[in-house]
Amino acid sequence: MDRIIIKIGDITKENVCAIVNAANCSLMGGGGVDGAIHRTGGSEILQECKKIREHEYPDGLPTGECVSTRAGNLASMYVIHTVGPIYHQCGEHCDELLASCYTKSLKMADTLGCKHVAFPAISTGIYGYPKDKAAHIAYEAVKHFLEGHDDMEVSFVFHNNEDKAIFVNTIKEKH
Ligand code: AR6
């Protein structure tokens, strides 16, 4: 699909309306993408996350859900924080929860008026999701959403060539 862009890069550098953060339920930052976003974006993001925790999600953001903040010093306007499933804990709900991260983040982006959204490979780092399985689910969820929203486009931003190749090969085989 020509409205899906597949690239290598650092998601914090993406100059799009919204980037998606592979956060954890605390919304207080962490390693990987989450660490990079908070480090580069600055304290404004954490301040907003703290307010969201206080007012909307005192027990933390559930897996598969998302919230949005502004993007501080980042080039994007918004950060959509979503919590991917932890692969060895999500049991039979893994695929559904991972798909939900993509679909709900895109719905939120649409509500914010964003036409271009950049995703990292949610759950495929610290959360241990097999990269080929995650690729299939991510692509399927995004493609399905974009079919109903022909003014939107999505970038998948991979950290290295190998991760991008796994994604591209999985898509070629299964789609
Ligand atoms: N740009 C693009 N992709 C990246 C970047 C970057 N700057 N940095 C890492 N990746 P992860 P998860 C890739 O671990 O598995 C955090 O501590 C990385 O190579 O960031 O959803 C959170 O606070 C991998 O393929 O997210 C949570 O506790 C992918 O992004 C937990 O990690 C996702 O890796 C979430 O784990």
Side-chain angles (χ1 to χ4, degrees):
M1 186 189 244
D2 63 355
R3 286 180 289 119
I4 296 180
I5 299 149
I6 302 166
K7 61 195 285 190
I8 300 168
D10 174 353
I11 195 145
T12 66
K13 306 267 191 305
E14 285 295 299
N15 191 358
V16 296
C17 185
I19 63 168
V20 177
N21 182 15
N24 61 60
C25 64
S26 80
L27 295 176
M28 295 297 109
V33 174
D34 198 10
I37 286 176
H38 280 278
R39 249 188 334 271
T40 316
S43 60
E44 187 187 357
I45 299 176
L46 187 61
Q47 292 317 315
E48 277 198 57
C49 284
K50 283 183 176 164
K51 284 193 186 133
I52 290 169
R53 280 297 308 277
E54 208 176 305
H55 300 296
E56 290 175 64
Y57 290 103
D59 299 327
L61 182 66
T63 304
E65 299 293 329
C66 64
V67 295
S68 67
T69 64
R70 283 167 299 170
N73 303 325
L74 298 172
S76 63
M77 283 177 70
Y78 300 101
V79 177
I80 296 173
H81 307 260
T82 189
V83 183
I86 300 174
Y87 192 66
H88 69 86
Q89 289 179 5
C90 51
E92 62 190 31
H93 302 296
C94 288
D95 294 4
E96 188 190 316
L97 289 169
L98 186 60
S100 166
C101 289
Y102 286 93
T103 305
K104 289 194 173 168
S105 295
L106 284 170
K107 274 189 193 148
M108 182 160 279
D110 190 27
T111 307
L112 292 167
C114 285
K115 303 297 175 205
H116 194 165
V117 185
F119 282 96
I122 297 165
S123 284
T124 65
I126 295 164
Y127 281 0
Y129 219 101
K131 291 178 180 182
D132 54 344
K133 277 191 177 193
H136 172 60
I137 292 159
Y139 185 78
E140 193 64 11
V142 167
K143 187 168 141 267
H144 187 254
F145 187 91
L146 291 182
E147 278 163 1
H149 297 80
D150 55 14
D151 56 346
M152 288 179 78
E153 64 181 327
V154 164
S155 296
F156 283 106
V157 182
F158 295 95
H159 214 29
N160 55 54
N161 198 24
E162 196 190 328
D163 288 354
K164 182 185 166 202
I166 293 171
F167 186 88
V168 169
N169 291 336
T170 305
I171 298 322
K172 271 190 202 151
E173 274 169 30
K174 297 206 176 191
H175 295 271

